[in-house]
Amino acid sequence: MLEVENVAALKAHIGQKLGSSDWLVVDQKMIDQFAEATGDHQWIHIDVERAKKEMPGGKTIAHGYLTLSLLPKLNQGIFKITKRKRGVNYGSNKVRFTAPVPSGARVRGHLTLKNIEDLGNGCSRLTMEAMVEVEGNERPALVAETLSLVYE
């Protein structure tokens, strides 16, 4: 994990890949819980028996928004600013779901620091390119430009 003391030290990494997360299994239980939380019960996510017959690969797939919602969990092990008051998810400029995540697949995140903007009063906006890799697939499941606010 990359550790820096403050945002000023992180600026040396603009344009660079910050690192990769550990692998995380996206299992059917996680997919089912996400379906319950969001009300998205489309059969491609939750009907294991039908997926065996009708889905490529014979498995259900994770919701795209489940994959997106895993970014905080994946990103927490990639880098850390040790002297900050707080960090806040500020949103996304662009999100693309570029490949499915089959039930039981392992995923990991990759972060590249694109930009840091000083917003004043000890606040900086970090722009990152986030990618979620599915083990064994050439194409990532997700590519997104994400924004965070860091308060020092």
Side-chain angles (χ1 to χ4, degrees), residues 88-105:
V88 179
N89 178 0
Y90 189 64
S92 301
N93 286 335
K94 184 177 182 180
V95 176
R96 296 292 180 263
F97 305 113
T98 52
V101 176
S103 176

Side-chain angles (χ1 to χ4, degrees), residues 4-62:
V4 295
E5 188 171 302
N6 53 35
V7 172
L10 189 61
K11 287 182 179 181
H13 299 277
I14 292 174
Q16 298 176 12
K17 182 176 176 180
L18 299 180
S20 302
S21 73
D22 291 335
W23 290 101
L24 174 72
V25 175
V26 178
D27 60 15
Q28 191 61 48
K29 180 180 178 185
M30 182 187 293
I31 294 168
D32 291 343
Q33 289 173 330
F34 190 84
E36 282 302 310
T38 62
D40 183 349
H41 297 282
Q42 188 176 168
W43 75 266
I44 63 173
H45 305 303
I46 61 168
D47 192 332
V48 174
E49 292 308 311
R50 186 172 175 188
K52 285 178 184 176
K53 298 174 203 163
E54 297 183 39
M55 290 295 291
K59 294 183 177 185
T60 60
I61 58 172

